[in-house]
Amino acid sequence: MTGAAAAGAGARRVAILGGGPAGLAAAQAALAAGAEVTLLDEGGRLGGQYWRHHEQLTDRRLQHGWARFERLKGVLDRAEVHTGASVWSAEASDGVVRLRAVVGPADATSRTALEIEADAVVVATGAHDLALPVPGWTLPGVTTAGAAQALAKRDGVTVGRRTVVSGAGPFLLPVAQSLAIAGSEVVGVHEASRIGGLAAGWLPRPWQLAGKAGELVEYVGALARHRIPYRIGSGVVRVLGTDRVEGVVIAALDADWRPVPGSEREVACDSVALGHGFTPRLEVAIALGAAIEGDRRGRFVVVDDTQRTSVSGVYAAGEITGIGGADAALAEGAVAGFMAAGGSLDDDRMRGPLAVRRRMGAFAARLERAHGIRPGWTSWLADDTVICRCENVTRRTIADRADAPLRAMKLATRAGLGACQGRTCGRAVEAIVAEAGGSPEGFDRRPVLAPVRLGEVAALGRGSTVVDTEPARCDDAGTTVAAVDVQ
Amino acid sequence: MIRITVDAEPLEGRDGQTIAGVLIGAGRTAWRSAQTGDRGVFCGIGVCHDCLVTVNGVEGVRACQREAVDGDRVEREVRA
Ligand SMILES: Cc1cc2nc3c(=O)[nH]c(=O)nc-3n(C[C@H](O)[C@H](O)[C@H](O)COP(=O)(O)OP(=O)(O)OC[C@H]3O[C@@H](n4cnc5c(N)ncnc54)[C@H](O)[C@@H]3O)c2cc1C
């Protein structure tokens, strides 16, 4: 156990859940503060969504801030690191945090059990795409924008050869660039927000884009180079095809994202990437008892100045505390890790992260104002549009039961009760229920935090074996030190 | 280079690719039968469960999360 060896006896044990920008920054800072650190991530490699990669398959042009990633990995030889570790249970009581995971190839039957006990935990589980339903969106060839990004980065493939990108937010830009580099022609990028929204959002204060600015400028350059049109106030309102995607219907969208009548036009394509925002992965934080705040436009983990949640010893950072992107995640992670390890906000080493966190917080608010989902989107749905992809539940079925309590509605329709546990459709179902006069909310709590086989749970229940697997090692040490690295 | 079979048909992929990566690289976009038609990758990060396949006899494996191993036998799943 390298972690135990590196920290002094009696050091605070800090567990970090998530190896994306927030979790990695937390690990670095917690180590700097003298803690004994254990980091877990279900992915086969560290990096999270932002630094998703494969050593042989990832085109270097798709990577950003790589030197930072290598520096963060570089200090992990002093920590205990478990990749391929899906945390399926988490609890905090009497000042002790317990995480239970299965470690091994995804969904294999032979995974080993791992139980981690710590004095504090940093939850940095990130987010997944929020793709709003569109008629025809279950056709093969339709993916989320994040899937297009992940497939291009991790596997070097694209689902089609002619792709339409549609949704909202600056994330659509790197997705278009990745598709183009990985080999698909991008017919167009359709941003639902109008110029008014963008102007009220980030356009007048581009300096708030901070570290992101360079990246965004690069993406805009890439769009121009690949001759990819970027159209605001428009979006895919229907996907066409019988067995797979053959085209889309694009419409102009008004300020509330309602399709403008008469503006529809058909565009031929074989693939569609949809991304209307992100949904935080809250289940671990909720299982630990952390308070969640917000409404159906977005719910996040509540944290104080030190990134502590409502539960003592439980800290949170990154997308689960608000969608702010990788720079915000890095800064929040550094603060969370440092404080979880018993550090102080007055420490000089906190100055950089605190400044970035402040700046990026303002940026996140502006992003939400500019690109946040508007209620008119439901008017592009048809009655028979599938909303819950797992259980094939249509909009009409959900709307018909909207007056029942959410639990009863779910049991009657099966919406949100399929394999993904409502992760994919939750926000859309809530919007449809609210529109039909019901009171939504209640899609965040999940009894099992990560997919785990029943046999595995049963085995763990019988005397939960604690298995120490050999931790992954990262030997490439970092070089230069940026202002926000906490060393 | 790795070789896997999908419903007994041989496919070649690049070392390190996920099963979904190999399938898509071979030009496939869908490999699971659902009530409303075939499905393939949707979320790409293990959240949506649309891309499930049976691997070496084990059901319910997320193709986008599982790294393909030379010789893997992949089978299509039919689910409601
Ligand atoms: C598919 C996708 C692709 C994206 N690509 C980009 C991009 O290219 N550029 C960009 O600027 N932004 C991208 N984003 C936005 C992204 O959310 C942020 O840039 C950034 O990665 C957020 O950092 P984070 O540390 O908060 O979370 P993440 O990077 O999401 O990291 C969270 C980590 O927690 C792990 N995890 C979650 N739950 C568990 C569990 N129960 N057990 C074990 N491990 C768990 C996950 O495997 C993941 O590695 C992407 C988002 C998505 C969903």
Side-chain angles (χ1 to χ4, degrees):
Chain A
M1 303 257 281
T2 44
R12 231 170 124 70
R13 298 168 303 167
V14 176
I16 294 169
L17 177 45
L24 291 171
Q28 184 190 42
L31 286 168
E36 183 188 314
V37 171
T38 307
L39 181 127
L40 303 103
D41 195 293
E42 67 188 355
R45 283 169 193 74
L46 296 175
Q49 305 307 344
Y50 187 67
W51 285 312
R52 181 178 290 275
H53 69 286
H54 182 280
E55 293 72 11
Q56 277 80 49
L57 301 170
T58 307
D59 187 313
R60 274 302 170 115
R61 287 171 292 174
L62 305 185
Q63 295 297 8
H64 295 90
W66 197 251
R68 181 79 193 275
F69 178 50
E70 303 225 299
R71 282 202 304 278
L72 290 169
K73 271 200 312 181
V75 299
L76 288 180
D77 55 353
R78 293 192 281 129
E80 183 182 323
V81 177
H82 299 276
T83 52
S86 296
V87 172
W88 60 275
S89 143
E91 54 188 287
S93 60
D94 305 327
V96 179
V97 175
R98 260 184 213 90
L99 303 177
R100 294 194 182 85
V102 285
V103 186
D107 304 324
T109 43
S110 54
R111 292 183 290 184
T112 48
L114 173 70
E115 186 169 325
I116 302 288
E117 212 183 80
D119 304 308
V121 62
V122 177
V123 184
T125 44
H128 59 79
D129 284 84
L130 199 178
L132 293 173
V134 176
W137 74 318
T138 56
L139 284 169
V142 180
T143 68
T144 65
Q149 181 77 339
L151 288 168
K153 276 189 177 177
R154 163 70 180 76
D155 286 294
V157 296
T158 60
V159 167
R161 288 284 158 269
R162 236 179 101 76
T163 311
V164 171
V165 178
S166 177
F171 180 53
L172 301 182
L173 302 177
V175 170
Q177 185 204 29
S178 300
L179 281 163
I181 288 175
S184 185
E185 177 194 348
V186 179
V187 191
V189 177
H190 296 273
E191 161 65 56
S193 298
R194 308 206 128 218
I195 191 74
L198 298 183
W202 52 270
L203 276 185
R205 289 192 170 71
W207 62 86
Q208 278 189 344
L209 295 172
K212 272 287 189 212
E215 232 180 282
L216 282 177
V217 168
E218 181 197 322
Y219 298 138
V220 171
L223 291 197
R225 216 167 32 253
H226 295 285
R227 299 184 192 288
I228 301 171
Y230 180 70
R231 301 197 196 285
I232 55 177
S234 70
V236 167
V237 296
R238 197 177 328 139
V239 181
L240 308 169
T242 37
D243 295 328
R244 54 156 306 142
V245 175
E246 288 163 28
V248 291
V249 175
I250 307 270
L253 303 177
D254 70 14
D256 269 339
W257 293 17
R258 227 171 249 108
V260 176
S263 69
E264 294 89 355
R265 66 192 168 88
E266 284 186 19
V267 173
C269 63
D270 63 5
S271 43
V272 184
L274 297 175
H276 300 89
F278 293 99
T279 305
R281 299 175 72 172
L282 299 176
E283 47 274 337
V284 173
I286 290 175
L288 287 164
I292 307 293
E293 210 172 69
D295 55 23
R296 68 191 161 74
R297 283 184 300 261
R299 288 188 291 274
F300 298 99
V301 180
V302 182
V303 289
D304 65 13
D305 258 12
T306 68
Q307 299 291 137
R308 211 202 82 177
T309 69
S310 59
V311 180
S312 154
V314 178
Y315 294 75
E319 305 285 64
I320 58 168
T321 67
I323 303 302
D327 291 328
L330 284 163
E332 292 167 8
V335 175
F338 203 70
M339 300 309 291
S344 154
L345 282 185
D346 297 328
D347 193 294
D348 270 354
R349 289 172 288 182
M350 282 293 94
R351 257 200 238 150
L354 287 172
V356 175
R357 186 179 70 176
R358 214 167 19 248
R359 197 164 63 221
M360 295 317 293
F363 172 55
R366 293 186 164 273
L367 267 193
E368 172 58 27
R369 206 171 314 156
H371 300 280
I373 292 172
R374 309 290 308 154
W377 73 269
T378 50
S379 54
W380 70 53
L381 297 174
D383 271 351
D384 63 354
T385 304
V386 167
I387 306 298
C388 167
R389 299 172 61 95
C390 296
E391 298 289 316
N392 299 295
V393 187
T394 63
R395 172 227 179 101
R396 185 193 297 117
T397 307
I398 294 165
D400 282 352
R401 300 277 183 154
D403 52 350
L406 196 66
R407 223 182 104 74
M409 184 283 289
K410 288 205 270 187
L411 287 172
T413 65
R414 297 216 40 84
L417 295 182
C420 89
Q421 297 184 280
R423 287 176 172 91
T424 313
C425 70
R427 284 280 299 274
V429 173
E430 289 179 354
I432 291 164
V433 168
E435 192 182 52
S439 61
E441 287 182 36
F443 271 89
D444 296 332
R445 193 175 294 274
R446 299 189 174 93
V448 178
L449 310 175
V452 59
R453 293 182 179 279
L454 286 178
E456 287 175 325
V457 178
L460 298 168
R462 289 194 305 269
S464 63
T465 34
V466 180
V467 183
D468 277 324
T469 52
E470 188 60 27
R473 299 285 203 87
C474 305
D475 297 323
D476 41 346
T479 42
T480 46
V481 180
V484 280
D485 272 289
V486 179
Q487 317 248 335
Chain B
M1 209 55 130
I2 53 162
R3 282 185 188 78
I4 65 172
T5 61
V6 178
D7 292 329
E9 188 194 323
L11 289 188
E12 280 188 353
R14 295 167 66 192
D15 284 328
Q17 277 182 321
T18 60
I19 289 175
V22 174
L23 282 158
I24 291 169
R28 306 221 181 170
T29 53
W31 48 81
R32 184 175 68 88
S33 305
Q35 190 188 315
T36 50
D38 284 358
R39 301 281 177 87
V41 164
F42 182 64
C43 82
I45 60 166
V47 170
C48 79
H49 290 69
D50 252 7
C51 67
L52 298 185
V53 286
T54 295
V55 181
N56 304 326
V58 176
E59 280 181 25
V61 174
R62 290 166 294 167
C64 73
Q65 294 297 289
R66 174 68 80 84
E67 194 161 310
V69 174
D70 204 36
D72 272 348
R73 277 177 297 108
V74 176
E75 288 161 287
R76 187 183 184 90
E77 292 191 7
V78 179
R79 291 213 186 163

